[in-house]
Amino acid sequence: MHDELSVVAFDGDEAVAEAMAGLDEAGQTRGAMFRRAGAAAGGLGVAMALLGGGGVAGAREGGSKKNDIKILNFALTLEYLEAAFYAEALARGGFSGSVLNFAQVVAGHEATHVATLKGVLGAKAVASPSFDFKGTTRKWSTFLRTSKVLEDTGVAAYQGQAPRIHQNAVLGPAGAILAVEARHAAWVRDLLYAGKSVKPAPESFSTPMSMSEVLSAVKKTGFIKS
């Protein structure tokens, strides 16, 4: 494996993108479900106050509920990938100490993100692909380097979609997940570069990635099997 993966890959045959294209508009019941799921995950009220502006029931200009479903499935696919990666790392890596603690905590977060998004989307949720992480979870060094790429890409992906979200009830929880992914990214840098002159938060600003930019890179790592 190359020391630094350039970008996370998923949906290698664009099956998820095709599935998302035909999704129908979500109803009020699903919106209420999202609010309950987000509250269970914690921090939803604060996120709504900071990010939602018009309140839980409000909507932002531009976009549509249908497109929000597409964005949520995009996010769910990322979370499937991350959750599977950390679960495999715990099963195969034999880590200890601070690396094990990191893997355990983040695995729990990513599994919660998957469960929450699936609960919100219900029957509209895309199915999880199968994954082959090509041995990156077996050594702590390759695990941390791959984790860094996954977390950085997750942050950039959520950041890229935030301005396109229509419903405040979707924007709030998405912002809450984005904040946690950013903490993961800083944490893994701290572990990966311990004792080196690399800062856990190296830049003043984070660069977003569009959905097309992320999807265009899906074939570069080969992590998706089907």
PDB file of all heavy atoms in Angstrom, residues 173-197:
ATOM      1  N   PRO A 173     -28.121  17.810  12.464  1.00  0.00           N
ATOM      2  CA  PRO A 173     -27.409  16.559  12.737  1.00  0.00           C
ATOM      3  C   PRO A 173     -26.191  16.362  11.848  1.00  0.00           C
ATOM      4  O   PRO A 173     -25.186  15.809  12.280  1.00  0.00           O
ATOM      5  CB  PRO A 173     -28.474  15.482  12.467  1.00  0.00           C
ATOM      6  CG  PRO A 173     -29.768  16.178  12.734  1.00  0.00           C
ATOM      7  CD  PRO A 173     -29.570  17.581  12.232  1.00  0.00           C
ATOM      8  N   ALA A 174     -26.274  16.789  10.572  1.00  0.00           N
ATOM      9  CA  ALA A 174     -25.111  16.678   9.692  1.00  0.00           C
ATOM     10  C   ALA A 174     -23.946  17.495  10.240  1.00  0.00           C
ATOM     11  O   ALA A 174     -22.783  17.052  10.224  1.00  0.00           O
ATOM     12  CB  ALA A 174     -25.465  17.151   8.284  1.00  0.00           C
ATOM     13  N   GLY A 175     -24.246  18.682  10.765  1.00  0.00           N
ATOM     14  CA  GLY A 175     -23.199  19.498  11.371  1.00  0.00           C
ATOM     15  C   GLY A 175     -22.625  18.853  12.620  1.00  0.00           C
ATOM     16  O   GLY A 175     -21.427  18.951  12.886  1.00  0.00           O
ATOM     17  N   ALA A 176     -23.485  18.168  13.385  1.00  0.00           N
ATOM     18  CA  ALA A 176     -23.015  17.489  14.589  1.00  0.00           C
ATOM     19  C   ALA A 176     -22.077  16.334  14.237  1.00  0.00           C
ATOM     20  O   ALA A 176     -21.072  16.108  14.912  1.00  0.00           O
ATOM     21  CB  ALA A 176     -24.213  16.967  15.392  1.00  0.00           C
ATOM     22  N   ILE A 177     -22.376  15.601  13.159  1.00  0.00           N
ATOM     23  CA  ILE A 177     -21.495  14.528  12.715  1.00  0.00           C
ATOM     24  C   ILE A 177     -20.193  15.099  12.169  1.00  0.00           C
ATOM     25  O   ILE A 177     -19.099  14.581  12.447  1.00  0.00           O
ATOM     26  CB  ILE A 177     -22.190  13.651  11.656  1.00  0.00           C
ATOM     27  CG1 ILE A 177     -23.366  12.896  12.281  1.00  0.00           C
ATOM     28  CG2 ILE A 177     -21.206  12.659  11.039  1.00  0.00           C
ATOM     29  CD1 ILE A 177     -24.180  12.078  11.286  1.00  0.00           C
ATOM     30  N   LEU A 178     -20.286  16.178  11.398  1.00  0.00           N
ATOM     31  CA  LEU A 178     -19.089  16.827  10.862  1.00  0.00           C
ATOM     32  C   LEU A 178     -18.120  17.197  11.975  1.00  0.00           C
ATOM     33  O   LEU A 178     -16.899  16.970  11.861  1.00  0.00           O
ATOM     34  CB  LEU A 178     -19.487  18.069  10.068  1.00  0.00           C
ATOM     35  CG  LEU A 178     -18.379  19.046   9.664  1.00  0.00           C
ATOM     36  CD1 LEU A 178     -17.320  18.369   8.812  1.00  0.00           C
ATOM     37  CD2 LEU A 178     -18.975  20.244   8.934  1.00  0.00           C
ATOM     38  N   ALA A 179     -18.633  17.745  13.058  1.00  0.00           N
ATOM     39  CA  ALA A 179     -17.768  18.147  14.174  1.00  0.00           C
ATOM     40  C   ALA A 179     -17.026  16.957  14.765  1.00  0.00           C
ATOM     41  O   ALA A 179     -15.831  17.038  15.091  1.00  0.00           O
ATOM     42  CB  ALA A 179     -18.594  18.850  15.253  1.00  0.00           C
ATOM     43  N   VAL A 180     -17.718  15.828  14.886  1.00  0.00           N
ATOM     44  CA  VAL A 180     -17.084  14.630  15.441  1.00  0.00           C
ATOM     45  C   VAL A 180     -16.034  14.084  14.480  1.00  0.00           C
ATOM     46  O   VAL A 180     -14.944  13.672  14.900  1.00  0.00           O
ATOM     47  CB  VAL A 180     -18.154  13.564  15.766  1.00  0.00           C
ATOM     48  CG1 VAL A 180     -17.500  12.247  16.168  1.00  0.00           C
ATOM     49  CG2 VAL A 180     -19.051  14.055  16.891  1.00  0.00           C
ATOM     50  N   GLU A 181     -16.336  14.076  13.183  1.00  0.00           N
ATOM     51  CA  GLU A 181     -15.353  13.607  12.200  1.00  0.00           C
ATOM     52  C   GLU A 181     -14.093  14.473  12.241  1.00  0.00           C
ATOM     53  O   GLU A 181     -12.972  13.963  12.086  1.00  0.00           O
ATOM     54  CB  GLU A 181     -15.968  13.623  10.792  1.00  0.00           C
ATOM     55  CG  GLU A 181     -17.176  12.730  10.596  1.00  0.00           C
ATOM     56  CD  GLU A 181     -16.859  11.243  10.612  1.00  0.00           C
ATOM     57  OE1 GLU A 181     -15.667  10.881  10.563  1.00  0.00           O
ATOM     58  OE2 GLU A 181     -17.798  10.437  10.674  1.00  0.00           O
ATOM     59  N   ALA A 182     -14.255  15.773  12.428  1.00  0.00           N
ATOM     60  CA  ALA A 182     -13.101  16.660  12.524  1.00  0.00           C
ATOM     61  C   ALA A 182     -12.258  16.347  13.759  1.00  0.00           C
ATOM     62  O   ALA A 182     -11.017  16.396  13.712  1.00  0.00           O
ATOM     63  CB  ALA A 182     -13.564  18.111  12.555  1.00  0.00           C
ATOM     64  N   ARG A 183     -12.912  15.998  14.865  1.00  0.00           N
ATOM     65  CA  ARG A 183     -12.166  15.604  16.066  1.00  0.00           C
ATOM     66  C   ARG A 183     -11.407  14.302  15.826  1.00  0.00           C
ATOM     67  O   ARG A 183     -10.266  14.148  16.273  1.00  0.00           O
ATOM     68  CB  ARG A 183     -13.132  15.458  17.248  1.00  0.00           C
ATOM     69  CG  ARG A 183     -13.758  16.780  17.683  1.00  0.00           C
ATOM     70  CD  ARG A 183     -14.601  16.622  18.940  1.00  0.00           C
ATOM     71  NE  ARG A 183     -15.209  17.885  19.312  1.00  0.00           N
ATOM     72  CZ  ARG A 183     -16.513  18.142  19.233  1.00  0.00           C
ATOM     73  NH1 ARG A 183     -17.343  17.201  18.815  1.00  0.00           N
ATOM     74  NH2 ARG A 183     -16.999  19.313  19.579  1.00  0.00           N
ATOM     75  N   HIS A 184     -12.036  13.371  15.100  1.00  0.00           N
ATOM     76  CA  HIS A 184     -11.335  12.132  14.743  1.00  0.00           C
ATOM     77  C   HIS A 184     -10.071  12.450  13.936  1.00  0.00           C
ATOM     78  O   HIS A 184      -9.013  11.854  14.151  1.00  0.00           O
ATOM     79  CB  HIS A 184     -12.229  11.224  13.899  1.00  0.00           C
ATOM     80  CG  HIS A 184     -13.428  10.700  14.605  1.00  0.00           C
ATOM     81  ND1 HIS A 184     -14.459  10.055  13.933  1.00  0.00           N
ATOM     82  CD2 HIS A 184     -13.783  10.688  15.920  1.00  0.00           C
ATOM     83  CE1 HIS A 184     -15.384   9.694  14.804  1.00  0.00           C
ATOM     84  NE2 HIS A 184     -15.002  10.064  16.005  1.00  0.00           N
ATOM     85  N   ALA A 185     -10.211  13.354  12.976  1.00  0.00           N
ATOM     86  CA  ALA A 185      -9.086  13.694  12.099  1.00  0.00           C
ATOM     87  C   ALA A 185      -7.928  14.281  12.893  1.00  0.00           C
ATOM     88  O   ALA A 185      -6.749  13.968  12.623  1.00  0.00           O
ATOM     89  CB  ALA A 185      -9.543  14.674  11.018  1.00  0.00           C
ATOM     90  N   ALA A 186      -8.226  15.117  13.866  1.00  0.00           N
ATOM     91  CA  ALA A 186      -7.166  15.685  14.701  1.00  0.00           C
ATOM     92  C   ALA A 186      -6.557  14.619  15.617  1.00  0.00           C
ATOM     93  O   ALA A 186      -5.339  14.572  15.814  1.00  0.00           O
ATOM     94  CB  ALA A 186      -7.718  16.844  15.530  1.00  0.00           C
ATOM     95  N   TRP A 187      -7.400  13.759  16.143  1.00  0.00           N
ATOM     96  CA  TRP A 187      -6.937  12.708  17.061  1.00  0.00           C
ATOM     97  C   TRP A 187      -5.984  11.753  16.356  1.00  0.00           C
ATOM     98  O   TRP A 187      -4.918  11.426  16.890  1.00  0.00           O
ATOM     99  CB  TRP A 187      -8.150  11.969  17.604  1.00  0.00           C
ATOM    100  CG  TRP A 187      -7.879  10.996  18.728  1.00  0.00           C
ATOM    101  CD1 TRP A 187      -6.668  10.703  19.306  1.00  0.00           C
ATOM    102  CD2 TRP A 187      -8.856  10.200  19.413  1.00  0.00           C
ATOM    103  NE1 TRP A 187      -6.826   9.762  20.313  1.00  0.00           N
ATOM    104  CE2 TRP A 187      -8.162   9.443  20.395  1.00  0.00           C
ATOM    105  CE3 TRP A 187     -10.238  10.052  19.289  1.00  0.00           C
ATOM    106  CZ2 TRP A 187      -8.827   8.545  21.239  1.00  0.00           C
ATOM    107  CZ3 TRP A 187     -10.895   9.171  20.133  1.00  0.00           C
ATOM    108  CH2 TRP A 187     -10.192   8.431  21.102  1.00  0.00           C
ATOM    109  N   VAL A 188      -6.355  11.310  15.151  1.00  0.00           N
ATOM    110  CA  VAL A 188      -5.493  10.360  14.455  1.00  0.00           C
ATOM    111  C   VAL A 188      -4.167  11.009  14.064  1.00  0.00           C
ATOM    112  O   VAL A 188      -3.115  10.368  14.072  1.00  0.00           O
ATOM    113  CB  VAL A 188      -6.211   9.740  13.231  1.00  0.00           C
ATOM    114  CG1 VAL A 188      -6.364  10.741  12.097  1.00  0.00           C
ATOM    115  CG2 VAL A 188      -5.455   8.507  12.749  1.00  0.00           C
ATOM    116  N   ARG A 189      -4.184  12.282  13.750  1.00  0.00           N
ATOM    117  CA  ARG A 189      -2.921  12.983  13.468  1.00  0.00           C
ATOM    118  C   ARG A 189      -2.030  13.021  14.707  1.00  0.00           C
ATOM    119  O   ARG A 189      -0.814  12.882  14.606  1.00  0.00           O
ATOM    120  CB  ARG A 189      -3.208  14.412  12.997  1.00  0.00           C
ATOM    121  CG  ARG A 189      -3.538  14.542  11.528  1.00  0.00           C
ATOM    122  CD  ARG A 189      -3.807  16.008  11.179  1.00  0.00           C
ATOM    123  NE  ARG A 189      -3.836  16.215   9.748  1.00  0.00           N
ATOM    124  CZ  ARG A 189      -4.873  15.937   8.975  1.00  0.00           C
ATOM    125  NH1 ARG A 189      -5.978  15.426   9.514  1.00  0.00           N
ATOM    126  NH2 ARG A 189      -4.819  16.144   7.669  1.00  0.00           N
ATOM    127  N   ASP A 190      -2.640  13.256  15.844  1.00  0.00           N
ATOM    128  CA  ASP A 190      -1.871  13.303  17.088  1.00  0.00           C
ATOM    129  C   ASP A 190      -1.185  11.964  17.347  1.00  0.00           C
ATOM    130  O   ASP A 190      -0.028  11.920  17.781  1.00  0.00           O
ATOM    131  CB  ASP A 190      -2.814  13.659  18.244  1.00  0.00           C
ATOM    132  CG  ASP A 190      -2.062  14.036  19.512  1.00  0.00           C
ATOM    133  OD1 ASP A 190      -1.074  14.784  19.411  1.00  0.00           O
ATOM    134  OD2 ASP A 190      -2.468  13.577  20.590  1.00  0.00           O
ATOM    135  N   LEU A 191      -1.887  10.859  17.063  1.00  0.00           N
ATOM    136  CA  LEU A 191      -1.296   9.531  17.239  1.00  0.00           C
ATOM    137  C   LEU A 191      -0.249   9.235  16.164  1.00  0.00           C
ATOM    138  O   LEU A 191       0.823   8.703  16.452  1.00  0.00           O
ATOM    139  CB  LEU A 191      -2.391   8.464  17.185  1.00  0.00           C
ATOM    140  CG  LEU A 191      -3.404   8.450  18.323  1.00  0.00           C
ATOM    141  CD1 LEU A 191      -4.541   7.482  17.993  1.00  0.00           C
ATOM    142  CD2 LEU A 191      -2.749   8.063  19.638  1.00  0.00           C
ATOM    143  N   LEU A 192      -0.561   9.578  14.936  1.00  0.00           N
ATOM    144  CA  LEU A 192       0.307   9.245  13.811  1.00  0.00           C
ATOM    145  C   LEU A 192       1.617  10.017  13.843  1.00  0.00           C
ATOM    146  O   LEU A 192       2.670   9.489  13.486  1.00  0.00           O
ATOM    147  CB  LEU A 192      -0.445   9.541  12.505  1.00  0.00           C
ATOM    148  CG  LEU A 192       0.209   9.113  11.191  1.00  0.00           C
ATOM    149  CD1 LEU A 192       0.497   7.620  11.173  1.00  0.00           C
ATOM    150  CD2 LEU A 192      -0.699   9.491  10.026  1.00  0.00           C
ATOM    151  N   TYR A 193       1.549  11.254  14.301  1.00  0.00           N
ATOM    152  CA  TYR A 193       2.727  12.115  14.263  1.00  0.00           C
ATOM    153  C   TYR A 193       3.286  12.419  15.647  1.00  0.00           C
ATOM    154  O   TYR A 193       3.962  13.435  15.838  1.00  0.00           O
ATOM    155  CB  TYR A 193       2.401  13.417  13.535  1.00  0.00           C
ATOM    156  CG  TYR A 193       1.891  13.208  12.138  1.00  0.00           C
ATOM    157  CD1 TYR A 193       0.694  13.790  11.719  1.00  0.00           C
ATOM    158  CD2 TYR A 193       2.595  12.425  11.220  1.00  0.00           C
ATOM    159  CE1 TYR A 193       0.224  13.614  10.433  1.00  0.00           C
ATOM    160  CE2 TYR A 193       2.127  12.239   9.923  1.00  0.00           C
ATOM    161  CZ  TYR A 193       0.942  12.836   9.546  1.00  0.00           C
ATOM    162  OH  TYR A 193       0.478  12.645   8.264  1.00  0.00           O
ATOM    163  N   ALA A 194       3.006  11.558  16.608  1.00  0.00           N
ATOM    164  CA  ALA A 194       3.494  11.775  17.975  1.00  0.00           C
ATOM    165  C   ALA A 194       5.011  11.924  17.975  1.00  0.00           C
ATOM    166  O   ALA A 194       5.736  11.110  17.398  1.00  0.00           O
ATOM    167  CB  ALA A 194       3.088  10.602  18.865  1.00  0.00           C
ATOM    168  N   GLY A 195       5.489  12.981  18.622  1.00  0.00           N
ATOM    169  CA  GLY A 195       6.926  13.227  18.709  1.00  0.00           C
ATOM    170  C   GLY A 195       7.512  13.903  17.489  1.00  0.00           C
ATOM    171  O   GLY A 195       8.714  14.182  17.447  1.00  0.00           O
ATOM    172  N   LYS A 196       6.675  14.170  16.481  1.00  0.00           N
ATOM    173  CA  LYS A 196       7.146  14.839  15.267  1.00  0.00           C
ATOM    174  C   LYS A 196       6.615  16.266  15.230  1.00  0.00           C
ATOM    175  O   LYS A 196       5.730  16.640  15.988  1.00  0.00           O
ATOM    176  CB  LYS A 196       6.686  14.065  14.029  1.00  0.00           C
ATOM    177  CG  LYS A 196       7.191  12.626  13.994  1.00  0.00           C
ATOM    178  CD  LYS A 196       6.674  11.894  12.765  1.00  0.00           C
ATOM    179  CE  LYS A 196       7.134  10.443  12.754  1.00  0.00           C
ATOM    180  NZ  LYS A 196       6.610   9.701  11.582  1.00  0.00           N
ATOM    181  N   SER A 197       7.147  17.039  14.343  1.00  0.00           N
ATOM    182  CA  SER A 197       6.772  18.463  14.269  1.00  0.00           C
ATOM    183  C   SER A 197       5.600  18.693  13.330  1.00  0.00           C
ATOM    184  O   SER A 197       5.572  19.668  12.586  1.00  0.00           O
ATOM    185  CB  SER A 197       7.976  19.288  13.808  1.00  0.00           C
ATOM    186  OG  SER A 197       8.427  18.841  12.537  1.00  0.00           O
TER     187      SER A 197
END
